[in-house]
Structure formats: structure tokens, C-alpha cells
Amino acid sequence: MNVQEASLRNAVADKSDEPCILDRSSFPRRTAAVAAAAAAEAEAVDRDARYPKAAFDAARQQRLLGVQIPLAYGGDGASMSDITDMCYTLGRACASTAMIFAMHQTKVACLVRHGTGSAYLENLMRRVAAEQLLLASSTTEGQNGGNIRFSAAAVEHAGTEISLVRNATVISYGAQADGIVTIARRANDAAGSDQVLLAITKDDYTLEPSLAWETLGMRGTCSTGFELKFKGTADQIFPESYDRIHAQTMIPAAHLSWSSAWAGIAAASVERAQAFIRKAARGAGGQMPPGAAHFTAARMSLAKLRAMITSNLDTYLAHEHDERALSSLDFQTQINLLKVEASELAVETVMSAMRACGLSGYRNDGDFSVGRHLRDVLSAPIMINNDRILANIATSSLMSAVPTTLRD
Ligand SMILES: Cc1cc2nc3c(=O)[nH]c(=O)nc-3n(C[C@H](O)[C@H](O)[C@H](O)COP(=O)(O)OP(=O)(O)OC[C@H]3O[C@@H](n4cnc5c(N)ncnc54)[C@H](O)[C@@H]3O)c2cc1C
């Protein structure tokens, strides 16, 4: 055990009721503890559109915020497979908690993959693990919608000092985050697509609220609009250009973890539908209620959704360290289509679950209500709009070959 691992074990032992063993086998137990806290406040979080504080207090106590940071920097070295499992488990408990966790882990993935070699970013990795910092994401800007590959705001340079003013339309949990990972134009004279990624912490920026978050679902993500003003140093810019980070990490990590969170929401609705159908069948002396076919449909689309996520995850893990493969047309098309298909299937699953439960599912109260799940999951197709993604990949889809065998 090296010094860092030893000090982390001690830190864990100090902060939780029972000491955590820092290997993969502890992940399910630690995630379950966070999920329990998230489930207990899920209704209140949704009703009051408030940040899921108890869930994230538990996530800090279980040291899940730094779980993806490599052991050498004080984390647990969790893989994307571990992270997606966690997102699914949290999604079954509270959609907002799962989505916040997924967004945070996407930013951490960028730090882990593209931060080594930069003293500032390496130190930030250590801080995420040691202080359990929560990182938010700022990509959406002004009237630009989900066009992430274009930035309006530019980094201003004055020697080694830099600054940025950004009209951030949406920053989920911006008010609660300890730092933000944001895109920007490289400099004043750079094109909108010539972007860099910056990691900034709350001691070097201010957020002036500009737009409230009063929405149908995902209310606990508290995705308020802000004017972001930052002053810092040039070493806060990731050394690699954003286009590479986007293809290799941002998109795969976001689409895999978001999809897993949505699949968790879908699974929770299927569980409710199952309980409803079982109760109805018991009450009718074993005779299936008419809605049973919708329950079967919900199970079927959930199975498709899970299979699609795991197959994309396997592809990603197989090529994780192969820059060329990750940047290839085929992989980029596939990982973008994952987001589109997973979001549609998640909505379809929750809709089938609600139809299985009928009025009991449509109600906002009672054990079989799936209203919250439906409202939350409806955010999936618009979170980077599916229409935009499909339009963007139309050309590459045309160029990549149609497979000639079942497994190639
Ligand atoms: C729950 C949630 C949390 C979020 N958190 C964050 C966050 O933390 N940080 C952040 O930066 N952003 C966040 N976002 C914003 C998100 O990343 C997208 O930017 C946003 O969902 C896009 O918003 P839009 O629909 O207004 O924009 P657009 O993408 O511009 O879409 C607007 C409309 O135009 C249509 N459209 C757009 N382009 C095309 C096209 N090429 N072809 C056909 N139709 C098109 C769409 O169908 C849609 O109807 C969050 C969004 C959600 C739902």
C-alpha cells in the first residue's frame, strides 16, 4: 500500500460509520448507501425542485465523488463500467441524483484522461478525491442550444492570467458545485469551433443567476442559468484541444452515464408496474389484468435498453486506450446513436409501465405512481436534442459501411 492509499483509507475510516475497503467489491455497498439516501428524499426533491443534498452528503461520505480518480491520485480507479452501474442504481432511486452524478463523473472522466501532465489538473484530481469536490458542466451558452461544438465566449489572455465571461443558459447544480468544467473559444480571434476545455474552482469564479429552473422533471438538478465570470491562470486550460477531448471522452462518458441513469429511471417504473400487475392478478384469483401486455412491453424495451448500453460500453472499454478507434466515424456514429436510442427507449419503457398501471400509474400519489418517472425521463430526448444529433450524424452515417456480418 502506498502513502496515498494509506492516507485515503484513514480518511475513509474517519468519515464513515464503517471503514470502506478500497477495492471494486465495495462499490455496490457504497452505491446502495447513496441510493437509499436518494430514494428517501426523491419525492421532496422533485416537489420542491431542490438539490438532493442528503444523497450528495452520502456520496461524499461513501467517497463516490472521487471514485473514478486513479489510485495514484487518491481515488479508487473506478472504470466506466463501474460508473454506469452506479448511475443505473442511482437512477432507480432518484433521477436528479443519478443525472447529477452522471454529469459530475463525465467531467471527472475528462480530468482523468486528459489531465495528466498538467500540474494544475493533477492537483485538481487529488482535490476531487481528498475533498470530494463536486464538478458541474457548462456547455450550453446563450441562444446556442445544444450546439456544443461551437462557443461564443472566448478566453481572454493577459500573460499567464486568463479570464472568461460566459452567458451560461443552464448549469445543473451550479450553485452547489465546487467547480465547473467549461468549454470556451480558445481566444478572441479564434473561430467558434476552435475550443478549449477549462477546469475552474469556485474560489476563482462568480455566478450571477439569470434564469430559474421551473421544469416538468429533473427538478432536483437545479439547472439554473447564470452569468459566469472567471479569472484564473492559463494552466487551468486542458493541454489538449477540445475537439479531441469531446470525441474521446466527453461524448462517450456522457452518453454512457446518462443512458444508464435513464435506464435506472425506466427500471424503477417497471418495478412499480410489476408490483401493480402482481397485486391485480392476486386480487383476481390469478387472472391477469388487461394491462399485463403493457407490462410485458415495458420489460421488453427495458431489456433492449440495457443490452444497447452494455454493448456500447463493451465497445468503448475495448477501445478505451485507442485514440484512433475512439475518433473513428463508426464509433462516433454508434456512441451518438446510443444517446438517441437510449433516450427514446427509456421514455417508451416508462410510458408502457404507466399504461400497465392505468390510473394508479397516472396518479401522483400511491405506490404505483409513475408520474415522476415519466416527467424525469422526458428530459432525455431533449438533453442535447435528438433531432440535433441525428442531423449532425446524417453525413457520417451515410459514409460508414453497413455491416455485412452479424458480429463485426
Ligand atoms: C435536465 C437537463 C440538465 C442539463 N444540464 C446542463 C448543464 O449542466 N450544463 C449545460 O451546459 N447544459 C445543460 N443542459 C442543456 C443541454 O445540454 C442542451 O443544451 C439543451 O437541452 C438544449 O436545449 P434546446 O432544446 O433549447 O436547444 P436546441 O438544441 O437548440 O434545440 C431547440 C429546438 O431546435 C431543434 N433543433 C436543433 N437543432 C436541430 C437540427 N440540427 N435539426 C433539427 N432540429 C433541430 C430541436 O429539435 C429543438 O426542438 C441540460 C438539459 C437538461 C434537460
Side-chain angles (χ1 to χ4, degrees):
M1 195 190 322
N2 66 29
V3 177
Q4 245 154 5
E5 282 176 82
S7 76
L8 183 57
R9 276 170 198 252
N10 291 338
V12 169
D14 285 343
K15 286 187 178 161
S16 36
D17 295 332
E18 49 181 290
C20 292
I21 302 156
L22 294 182
D23 63 30
R24 200 163 253 118
S25 66
S26 73
F27 293 167
R29 177 177 56 77
R30 290 158 67 189
T31 310
V34 180
E41 67 172 352
E43 275 180 28
V45 159
D46 172 58
R47 185 185 58 236
D48 305 336
R50 70 165 168 81
Y51 169 73
K53 184 175 179 311
F56 281 88
D57 285 350
R60 286 197 167 92
Q61 192 184 40
Q62 296 297 331
R63 305 191 69 78
L64 282 199
L65 296 187
V67 75
Q68 206 187 159
I69 302 285
L71 279 171
Y73 295 95
D76 298 38
S79 68
M80 194 44 66
S81 178
D82 300 318
I83 297 300
T84 48
D85 273 344
M86 290 174 191
C87 291
Y88 182 80
T89 302
L90 296 178
R92 289 178 60 223
C94 167
S96 292
T97 299
M99 190 43 77
I100 294 173
F101 188 78
M103 289 192 270
H104 163 79
Q105 293 297 349
T106 301
K107 303 297 118 174
V108 175
C110 293
L111 207 50
V112 169
R113 189 181 175 101
H114 306 278
T116 41
S118 149
Y120 177 86
L121 297 174
E122 286 187 7
N123 189 44
L124 186 56
M125 273 198 265
R126 283 188 197 95
R127 288 190 61 197
V128 169
E131 300 168 40
Q132 293 292 295
L133 300 184
L134 178 64
L135 302 181
S137 164
S138 181
T139 53
T140 313
E141 186 183 21
Q143 302 305 312
N144 216 7
N147 188 6
I148 302 181
R149 290 295 287 106
F150 182 93
S151 286
V155 178
E156 302 270 354
H157 295 257
T160 56
E161 311 259 291
I162 58 167
S163 61
L164 176 70
V165 178
R166 200 162 194 279
N167 173 9
T169 334
V170 198
I171 305 182
S172 295
Y173 56 98
Q176 291 81 18
D178 303 300
I180 297 175
V181 176
T182 182
I183 48 173
R185 236 166 0 114
R186 182 178 299 281
N188 256 328
D189 55 357
S193 58
D194 183 5
Q195 296 164 297
V196 289
L197 191 67
L198 293 95
I200 63 184
T201 51
K202 67 180 173 194
D203 42 333
D204 43 37
Y205 64 78
T206 58
L207 292 175
E208 187 64 43
S210 57
L211 197 62
W213 183 249
E214 180 48 59
T215 51
L216 190 64
M218 285 293 180
R219 293 166 59 78
T221 59
C222 299
S223 309
T224 315
F226 295 100
E227 186 188 46
L228 164 67
K229 284 188 180 167
F230 154 76
K231 268 198 171 69
T233 49
D235 56 358
Q236 292 178 264
I237 300 175
F238 281 70
E240 265 177 295
S241 63
Y242 180 66
D243 57 341
R244 291 166 64 92
I245 301 174
H246 181 83
Q248 290 170 27
T249 313
M250 187 79 97
I251 288 297
H255 291 185
L256 288 164
S257 61
W258 295 0
S259 300
S260 304
W262 299 327
I265 304 170
S269 75
V270 171
E271 264 179 276
R272 289 193 176 203
Q274 185 178 51
F276 175 83
I277 298 291
R278 278 182 179 165
K279 189 175 176 198
R282 268 199 308 271
Q287 178 137 7
M288 282 292 166
H294 288 297
F295 170 64
T296 309
R299 285 213 76 132
M300 195 164 63
S301 50
L302 179 62
K304 266 194 270 181
L305 174 55
R306 294 175 75 244
M308 178 178 297
I309 297 169
T310 51
S311 128
N312 274 275
L313 182 60
D314 290 347
T315 308
Y316 174 71
L317 294 175
H319 301 295
E320 199 179 1
H321 305 293
D322 181 346
E323 286 180 26
R324 273 176 74 126
L326 292 184
S327 309
S328 72
L329 221 54
D330 271 350
F331 179 76
Q332 288 299 313
T333 305
Q334 188 179 324
I335 204 74
N336 275 294
L337 285 177
L338 165 69
K339 190 269 154 181
V340 175
E341 275 288 283
S343 59
E344 302 290 353
L345 274 173
V347 172
E348 193 182 312
T349 307
V350 182
M351 270 307 297
S352 295
M354 190 167 81
R355 293 188 70 183
C357 297
L359 185 57
S360 300
Y362 188 69
R363 297 179 66 94
N364 278 329
D365 53 6
D367 293 342
F368 310 116
S369 167
V370 285
R372 172 163 54 85
H373 305 83
L374 185 57
R375 288 186 290 102
D376 287 333
V377 86
L378 283 173
S379 67
I382 62 154
M383 192 168 175
I384 310 295
N385 205 291
N386 285 354
D387 296 336
R388 184 184 283 282
I389 295 178
L390 288 173
N392 285 350
I393 60 175
T395 315
S396 57
S397 301
L398 209 57
M399 286 161 71
S400 58
V402 176
T404 52
T405 59
L406 196 54
R407 291 178 182 274
D408 63 358

